[in-house]
Amino acid sequence: MPYVNIKITKEGEVTADQKRQLIEGATNLLHDVLGKNKKTTVVTIDEVDTDNWGIGGVPVTEIRKRQG
Amino acid sequence: MPYVNIKITKEGEVTADQKRQLIEGATNLLHDVLGKNKKTTVVTIDEVDTDNWGIGGVPVTEIRKRQG
Amino acid sequence: MPYVNIKITKEGEVTADQKRQLIEGATNLLHDVLGKNKKTTVVTIDEVDTDNWGIGGVPVTEIRKRQG
Amino acid sequence: MPYVNIKITKEGEVTADQKRQLIEGATNLLHDVLGKNKKTTVVTIDEVDTDNWGIGGVPVTEIRKRQG
Amino acid sequence: MPYVNIKITKEGEVTADQKRQLIEGATNLLHDVLGKNKKTTVVTIDEVDTDNWGIGGVPVTEIRKRQG
Amino acid sequence: MPYVNIKITKEGEVTADQKRQLIEGATNLLHDVLGKNKKTTVVTIDEVDTDNWGIGGVPVTEIRKRQG
């Protein structure tokens, strides 16, 4: 009965099918590595605005501009 | 000074009054079971899109369709 | 299928039965207020050292000494 | 490589520049106190609706009304 | 630069190699599905005591006894 | 009434005084940037085993060995 939380930046469109792949993939991973029961594995995905995510002390919004 | 985080799927409308009941109920629970100080108990509620929540490897959006 | 995370300071002993009451109480709360399915409600409890928890800018370890 | 999550209530406008200051400040804090590598420090900010945040068993929405 | 948190119950021994497989697998998943940069993907694993994890209103410790 | 969670790897000893500095620093940061009330700001610190933290798909335990 694992619980997995995935946080990603909200950039471009993440489709419902891609989210399904993340949910299925994380559930399979816990099953394959640790034999966890898939039925009670819960996965949640948080999409975080690029203003609200920073790495290296800099918001992702700024990092993307510099990369632009 | 407990901290409680409640994650629920965003389905139908959860009213401000229902959220108030969750906040009050969780705060009372910690007080009743462990004698925690209600004044400094913090409760946050996250409402998660059904595309972003999965159980059993399947997004809730799909589970609801099958149940539909 | 809610997910509830309860964080409390590790002070005195919290018994297995008290934890059971927290798990049962939180699960009932979500059922009573929002009609959520108890079977798929997950509750986790984190016990945090008093050195690792602060309020008002002060670790709980110091707050307890002052209160002592 | 610390990870810092900051949760605040969504009240008034928090500007992109204020978020940048939170990201930079939290990253510097971990560097200054523990010598952590700034490059791999991640900070995320969650803005939570005042209906979804409670303290003392009462939603912030109500607290603000009483203070109003 | 995703952040993934995996919570599992502390039951039997989870080896360092199994944890490595979870970290590698979650990082690959985000790369394969969304093209995320592996270098800045962070994964953390929390192992939670079976007294501190409940599903269906019942601690896992009790569930395991019944299954035993 | 912000809530800040700081996750760091458990490496070397982090002293109670360093934790105090993190708690005080994070509380001051929220006050200085957003005018948040220090009294109700909560900070928690999680120390995570290096086997349980990965970046770039590799556990920190292995990264440290390579750096060693």
Side-chain angles (χ1 to χ4, degrees):
Chain A
M1 56 197 67
Y3 173 75
V4 180
N5 176 250
I6 298 172
K7 284 187 203 306
I8 52 174
T9 48
K10 208 184 288 172
E11 301 180 88
E13 199 206 353
V14 179
T15 66
D17 187 63
Q18 286 172 318
K19 292 174 185 177
R20 190 192 53 70
Q21 289 177 52
L22 291 176
I23 288 166
E24 193 181 303
T27 303
N28 286 342
L29 179 67
L30 271 294
H31 177 75
D32 294 347
V33 177
L34 298 176
K36 296 290 184 185
N37 185 351
K38 290 189 191 183
K39 277 194 196 156
T40 52
T41 296
V42 173
V43 180
T44 60
I45 301 167
D46 295 339
E47 297 173 274
V48 179
D49 198 278
T50 56
D51 279 352
N52 292 21
W53 190 303
I55 185 164
V58 181
V60 174
T61 308
E62 283 188 33
I63 293 172
R64 294 306 182 230
K65 273 184 198 157
R66 293 175 195 177
Q67 288 170 337
Chain B
M1 56 194 67
Y3 173 75
V4 180
N5 177 250
I6 298 171
K7 283 187 205 305
I8 52 175
T9 47
K10 208 184 288 171
E11 301 180 87
E13 200 206 354
V14 179
T15 66
D17 188 62
Q18 286 172 318
K19 292 174 185 178
R20 190 192 54 70
Q21 289 177 54
L22 292 176
I23 288 166
E24 194 180 301
T27 304
N28 287 343
L29 179 67
L30 272 292
H31 177 76
D32 295 348
V33 176
L34 297 176
K36 294 292 183 183
N37 185 350
K38 290 188 192 183
K39 277 192 195 158
T40 52
T41 295
V42 173
V43 181
T44 60
I45 301 166
D46 295 339
E47 297 172 274
V48 178
D49 198 279
T50 56
D51 280 351
N52 292 20
W53 190 304
I55 185 163
V58 181
V60 174
T61 307
E62 283 187 34
I63 294 171
R64 294 304 182 233
K65 272 183 200 158
R66 294 175 194 176
Q67 288 170 339
Chain C
M1 54 196 68
Y3 173 76
V4 180
N5 176 251
I6 298 173
K7 283 186 205 304
I8 52 175
T9 49
K10 208 184 288 174
E11 300 180 89
E13 201 207 351
V14 178
T15 66
D17 188 61
Q18 286 172 318
K19 291 174 185 177
R20 190 191 54 71
Q21 288 176 54
L22 292 176
I23 288 166
E24 192 179 304
T27 304
N28 287 341
L29 179 67
L30 271 293
H31 177 76
D32 295 348
V33 176
L34 297 176
K36 294 291 182 183
N37 185 350
K38 291 189 191 183
K39 276 193 197 159
T40 52
T41 295
V42 173
V43 180
T44 60
I45 302 169
D46 295 338
E47 297 173 274
V48 179
D49 198 278
T50 56
D51 280 351
N52 292 21
W53 190 302
I55 186 164
V58 181
V60 173
T61 307
E62 283 188 33
I63 293 171
R64 294 307 182 229
K65 274 184 199 156
R66 293 176 193 176
Q67 288 170 340
Chain D
M1 56 196 66
Y3 173 75
V4 180
N5 176 251
I6 298 171
K7 285 188 203 303
I8 52 175
T9 48
K10 210 184 288 173
E11 301 179 88
E13 199 206 355
V14 178
T15 66
D17 188 62
Q18 286 172 318
K19 292 174 185 176
R20 190 191 54 70
Q21 289 177 54
L22 292 176
I23 288 166
E24 192 180 305
T27 304
N28 287 342
L29 180 66
L30 271 294
H31 178 76
D32 294 349
V33 176
L34 297 176
K36 294 292 183 184
N37 185 351
K38 290 189 192 183
K39 276 192 196 158
T40 52
T41 295
V42 172
V43 180
T44 60
I45 302 167
D46 294 339
E47 297 173 273
V48 179
D49 197 278
T50 55
D51 280 352
N52 291 22
W53 191 302
I55 185 163
V58 181
V60 173
T61 307
E62 283 187 34
I63 294 172
R64 295 305 182 232
K65 272 184 199 155
R66 294 175 194 178
Q67 288 170 337
Chain E
M1 57 194 67
Y3 173 76
V4 180
N5 177 249
I6 298 171
K7 285 187 206 301
I8 51 175
T9 48
K10 209 185 286 174
E11 301 179 88
E13 199 206 354
V14 179
T15 66
D17 188 63
Q18 286 172 318
K19 291 174 186 178
R20 189 190 54 70
Q21 289 176 53
L22 291 177
I23 288 166
E24 193 180 303
T27 304
N28 286 343
L29 180 66
L30 271 293
H31 178 75
D32 294 348
V33 177
L34 297 176
K36 294 291 183 183
N37 185 352
K38 292 188 191 183
K39 277 193 195 157
T40 53
T41 295
V42 174
V43 181
T44 61
I45 302 167
D46 295 339
E47 296 173 274
V48 178
D49 198 278
T50 55
D51 279 351
N52 292 20
W53 190 302
I55 185 163
V58 181
V60 174
T61 307
E62 284 187 32
I63 294 171
R64 293 305 182 232
K65 273 184 200 157
R66 294 176 194 176
Q67 289 170 337
Chain F
M1 56 196 65
Y3 173 74
V4 180
N5 176 250
I6 298 172
K7 283 186 205 305
I8 51 174
T9 49
K10 210 185 286 172
E11 301 180 88
E13 200 207 353
V14 178
T15 67
D17 188 63
Q18 286 173 318
K19 292 174 184 177
R20 190 192 54 69
Q21 288 176 54
L22 291 177
I23 288 166
E24 192 180 305
T27 304
N28 286 343
L29 179 66
L30 271 295
H31 177 76
D32 294 349
V33 176
L34 297 177
K36 294 292 182 183
N37 184 353
K38 290 188 191 182
K39 276 192 197 159
T40 53
T41 296
V42 173
V43 181
T44 60
I45 301 168
D46 296 339
E47 297 173 272
V48 179
D49 198 278
T50 55
D51 279 352
N52 292 20
W53 190 303
I55 184 164
V58 181
V60 174
T61 307
E62 283 189 32
I63 294 172
R64 294 306 183 231
K65 273 183 199 157
R66 293 175 193 176
Q67 289 170 339

